[in-house]
Amino acid sequence: MATATAPGKIILVGEHAVVYGRPAIAAPVWQRVATATIEPAAPGDGCSLHARDVELDIHLRTARDDEPLAVVTRLALAQLGIEQEPDWRIKLHSEIPIASGLGSGAALSTALVRAIFRQLGREAEPAQVSSLVYESERFYHGAPSGIDNTVVAYGQPIWFVKGREIEPFTPSVPLTIAIADSGVRSPTKATVGDVRRAWQREPARYESIFDAIGELVCAARRAMEVGDLPALGQLFDANQTLLESLDVSSETLHRLVAAARRAGALGAKLSGGGRGGNVIALVEEDAVDAVSGALYTSGAQQVIVTRIGAEAR
Ligand code: MEV
């Protein structure tokens, strides 16, 4: 029996613009993981995948070509030179809410790839996992930048530019981030598609918003390098304003962002695809309780506090 886990993720700054070649910074969230477990099945049963959380029960040999978890299983087996379908029962479980901007799809696929390698006596390299998962991410997202699969497969904070070599990145002082789930499910594929259509209609306007986000991400990196948390908080706020101008925020997200700021957060923004999903707030340690409380009072379904650059896995 082999088992493997993979973390959720947040985008600290730069979502959406990252699809258009601008940089972004992302970090894993180890407090919520996806797990894949492989058990032997009866001889001749073939390979089946079961995920109760998403009501998935499929057999590899009959699964559709656009089923992401079947796609990633087939790709991993092919990469390992396995031509005959193994007799496996694969159980998948995720603590990461789906369509919430926390990378649930990427985490499930990553755990799955790692478990398949392990079951065959191999350890998968992060780069190998990341590229296999990217293939399946295309089904969740349409045209993903690759940031989700990369941060989840590497399991550490990253500076990411599409198509470039990945750069692990650790802030010089730990960042305390409160992550609030709005409870509104919003598939990333939909917001990425809407931004693409808007960009096609008004390329100059959207390119200039993407440029502004790219500059802000560079400034956020400098703030993290020198440990200037107030400056980083302001950059979170500025990023939120630009995401609003991309029309990927919502009343609910706006309310959570405003509540976090009022309760003493250094800055707050949506994280991921937007319209629903999660809001992240940069907080000082002594404001964690006040900010978490305010987020719950304003309707957050759940608040997770994560420390980036400080917590070991
Ligand atoms: C999703 O976590 C981040 C987006 O920028 C989409 C992507 O990069 O593929 C919205």
Side-chain angles (χ1 to χ4, degrees):
M1 191 170 100
T3 186
T5 56
K9 70 95 204 2
I10 47 174
I11 308 280
L12 289 172
V13 277
E15 52 274 271
H16 285 291
V18 68
V19 175
Y20 300 83
R22 276 60 167 195
I25 302 174
V29 177
W30 283 100
Q31 286 91 338
R32 292 288 179 278
V33 297
T35 308
T37 307
I38 304 183
E39 294 166 358
D45 270 9
C47 180
S48 60
L49 293 131
H50 309 271
R52 267 212 240 131
D53 320 298
V54 288
E55 290 176 13
L56 177 98
D57 279 296
I58 51 173
H59 272 83
L60 199 56
R61 68 174 79 105
T62 51
R64 291 164 43 144
D65 285 344
D66 61 356
E67 165 48 58
L69 295 168
V71 171
V72 84
T73 303
R74 289 186 187 122
L75 288 170
L77 290 171
Q79 190 154 108
L80 288 160
I82 306 296
E83 281 165 16
Q84 203 187 335
E85 193 179 307
D87 294 320
W88 288 347
R89 188 177 162 79
I90 306 180
K91 285 195 199 147
L92 298 154
H93 169 65
S94 177
E95 302 165 351
I96 308 160
I98 52 168
S100 71
L102 288 184
S104 58
L108 271 174
S109 295
T110 297
L112 178 55
V113 170
R114 289 229 171 91
I116 291 172
F117 272 66
R118 261 179 212 165
Q119 182 72 7
L120 295 164
R122 302 263 301 269
E123 271 308 309
E125 292 298 322
Q128 205 170 16
V129 179
S130 181
S131 71
L132 285 169
V133 173
Y134 180 77
E135 287 305 310
S136 70
E137 280 285 283
R138 291 196 303 144
F139 293 103
Y140 289 110
H141 280 188
S145 64
I147 192 168
D148 287 11
N149 50 282
T150 306
V151 65
V152 170
Y154 281 79
Q156 56 182 312
I158 56 163
W159 167 266
F160 181 88
V161 182
K162 191 170 151 182
R164 297 233 191 112
E165 192 127 317
I166 97 121
E167 212 181 303
F169 175 78
T170 307
S172 67
V173 298
L175 310 179
T176 303
I177 306 277
I179 307 168
D181 184 359
S182 67
V184 179
R185 300 290 160 248
S186 168
T188 303
K189 190 175 180 171
T191 49
V192 168
D194 285 352
V195 171
R196 180 163 300 275
R197 280 181 287 277
W199 169 73
Q200 281 162 345
R201 277 194 305 272
E202 290 182 88
R205 181 165 111 76
Y206 277 76
E207 282 294 326
S208 77
I209 300 174
F210 298 149
D211 280 342
I213 294 176
E215 279 163 29
L216 171 160
V217 172
C218 293
R221 178 180 180 146
R222 287 192 293 275
M224 288 186 216
E225 281 167 350
V226 299
D228 188 345
L229 299 184
L232 183 60
Q234 282 173 14
L235 291 161
F236 271 33
D237 291 347
N239 198 169
Q240 171 64 19
T241 304
L242 289 164
L243 287 162
E244 281 168 14
S245 62
L246 290 179
D247 194 23
V248 293
S249 192
S250 69
E251 281 290 308
T252 309
L253 297 180
H254 192 82
R255 191 175 64 239
L256 291 170
V257 163
R261 289 179 190 155
R262 269 198 312 274
L266 296 169
K269 61 182 279 292
L270 68 87
S271 178
R275 296 251 170 84
N278 279 273
V279 156
I280 58 170
L282 178 67
V283 283
E284 284 168 317
E285 278 303 318
D286 58 6
V288 167
D289 289 346
V291 172
S292 302
L295 287 165
Y296 276 119
T297 309
S298 300
Q301 304 289 299
Q302 208 184 134
V303 180
I304 305 168
V305 178
T306 192
R307 290 174 182 83
I308 296 164
E311 269 174 5
R313 294 179 32 177

